[in-house]
């Protein structure tokens, strides 16, 4: 039914004009974090924006779990190359860059990439080096976007030793694309026996089983790292080590 002039007027009055900038809080605070002997200072928010896809503006419990684990196991990083998926403000990649030969941090959100680059600059300024001379890079990567993955792999031939992910399994719709991306990166780094280290924080039973199903669909082997299951931020977290299975 066509709107009469009066109802058309009412419909127009009901349109609320809010663009993304209305939800944008970029009032980042310089914040200190400690993982074992490693202190990291970076810009982040203290609480999440809920109305816009800006989960990456703050540090999540999964990053606390992964950074604690990595800081106790730096030998698994020393001299290696790593790519991080869904880096957010970059706390995991920045920690790794102290030990790895090269770290590529990635995210899909433009606002998040801005604060990620700012934190990379902050860490490069502290020792007067350029990010790339420290082997630290930031790239846009939307899970499942093969062009973006191929661009990264062209710039880093032979792939990576490690794929890292902290608290990146929280939205069911993105999990299949995440595992596609991980499979491509594991393949590219096959000659290096590439591993995916995932810090998983359990929020729903559906997601708990979904990640196991996705890993098995991709014929990946998923092993819980003994001793890593613990409560982080009131939720249960665990570190998984995921590799291409023998059937590949
Ligand atoms: C919950 S936050 C975790 C951030 C950081 N890893 C941490 O633990 O503090 C999830 C991150 O994944 C990114 N992300 C979500 N969906 C994505 C997608 N489809 N492709 C790439 N990045 C994505 C978000 O922008 C965000 O930075």
């Amino acid at each position: 039914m066509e709107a009469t002039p009066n109802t058309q007027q009412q419909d127009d009055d009901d349109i609320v004009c809010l663009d993304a900038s209305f939800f944008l809080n970029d009032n980042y605070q310089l914040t200190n974090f400690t993982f074992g002997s490693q202190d990291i200072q970076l810009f982040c928010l203290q609480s999440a924006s809920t109305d816009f896809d800006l989960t990456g503006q703050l540090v999540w419990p999964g990053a606390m779990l992964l950074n604690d684990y990595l800081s106790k196991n730096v030998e698994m990083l020393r001299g290696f190359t790593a790519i991080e998926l869904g880096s957010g403000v970059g706390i995991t990649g920045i920690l790794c860059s102290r030990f790895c030969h090269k770290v590529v941090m990635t995210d899909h959100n433009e606002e998040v990439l801005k604060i990620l680059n700012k934190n990379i600059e902050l860490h490069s300024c502290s020792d007067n080096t350029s990010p790339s001379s420290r082997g630290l890079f930031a790239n846009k990567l939307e899970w499942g976007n093969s062009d973006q993955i191929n661009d990264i792999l062209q710039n880093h031939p032979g792939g990576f030793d490690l794929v890292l992910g902290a608290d990146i399994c929280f939205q069911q719709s993105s999990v299949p694309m995440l595992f596609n991306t991980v499979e491509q990166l594991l393949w590219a780094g096959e000659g290096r026996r590439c591993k995916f280290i995932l810090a998983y924080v359990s929020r729903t039973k559906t997601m708990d089983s979904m990640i196991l199903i996705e890993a098995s669909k991709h014929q990946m082997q998923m092993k819980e790292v003994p001793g890593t299951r613990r409560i982080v931020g009131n939720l249960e977290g665990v570190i998984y080590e995921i590799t291409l299975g023998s059937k590949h």
Side-chain angles (χ1 to χ4, degrees):
M1 195 175 85
E2 252 180 53
T4 62
N6 271 349
T7 56
Q8 179 69 59
Q9 178 67 47
Q10 241 168 13
D11 287 350
D12 289 349
D13 286 349
D14 285 345
I15 295 172
V16 182
C17 296
L18 294 176
D19 70 11
S21 65
F22 182 81
F23 298 109
L24 184 64
N25 174 4
D26 56 4
N27 188 17
Y28 298 108
Q29 283 162 35
L30 201 53
T31 311
N32 291 307
F33 296 86
T34 301
F35 306 100
S37 61
Q38 299 298 313
D39 292 323
I40 298 182
Q41 196 177 46
L42 46 64
F43 289 102
C44 60
L45 293 188
Q46 311 299 313
S47 59
S49 304
T50 51
D51 291 305
F52 193 58
D53 179 24
L54 286 167
T55 56
Q57 289 182 304
L58 67 153
V59 172
W60 284 70
M64 302 301 288
L65 178 67
L66 186 53
N67 281 26
D68 274 338
Y69 171 68
L70 294 174
S71 69
K72 287 179 192 143
N73 294 280
V74 294
E75 288 314 318
M76 65 186 286
L77 302 174
R78 225 181 272 285
F80 286 123
T81 59
I83 181 165
E84 186 187 5
L85 305 177
S87 294
V89 291
I91 195 160
T92 298
I94 287 170
L95 172 74
C96 292
S97 73
R98 294 181 177 171
F99 304 97
C100 284
H101 167 60
K102 173 164 75 182
V103 179
V104 176
M105 293 191 260
T106 69
D107 209 282
H108 72 150
N109 183 284
E110 294 293 346
E111 273 313 312
V112 172
L113 284 164
K114 277 190 211 163
I115 185 62
L116 176 60
N117 275 305
K118 190 170 167 177
N119 281 328
I120 290 177
E121 283 297 319
L122 177 73
H123 281 267
S124 305
C125 285
S126 63
D127 55 9
N128 275 328
T129 52
S130 70
S132 58
S133 70
R134 292 194 65 204
L136 198 48
F137 302 87
N139 279 113
K140 184 173 169 103
L141 174 55
E142 169 91 38
W143 305 328
N145 185 321
S146 294
D147 290 343
Q148 291 172 354
I149 299 171
N150 290 337
D151 279 353
I152 291 174
L153 290 173
Q154 249 173 23
N155 289 326
H156 305 281
F160 301 88
D161 299 295
L162 297 168
V163 181
L164 302 170
D167 232 327
I168 51 173
C169 301
F170 60 100
Q171 198 176 38
Q172 287 177 33
S173 59
S174 65
V175 172
M177 286 297 110
L178 170 65
F179 275 82
N180 283 350
T181 302
V182 170
E183 184 176 2
Q184 266 181 274
L185 291 168
L186 291 177
W187 266 118
E190 211 202 357
R192 300 160 171 269
R193 305 172 68 124
C194 181
K195 291 177 195 168
F196 174 34
I197 310 289
L198 172 68
Y200 176 71
V201 175
S202 171
R203 296 189 176 85
T204 65
K205 289 206 176 347
T206 311
M207 185 61 83
D208 296 351
S209 47
M210 191 169 184
I211 57 168
L212 301 177
I213 292 167
E214 277 303 317
S216 114
K217 268 192 204 162
H218 289 267
Q219 296 174 351
M220 294 172 184
Q221 270 182 2
M222 190 155 172
K223 280 197 254 162
E224 177 173 332
V225 178
T228 60
R229 191 173 279 275
R230 69 172 174 89
I231 301 297
V232 273
N234 295 331
L235 297 164
E236 191 172 67
V238 63
I239 307 278
Y240 287 113
E241 204 176 279
I242 300 165
T243 49
L244 289 176
S246 49
K247 286 190 198 139
H248 269 103

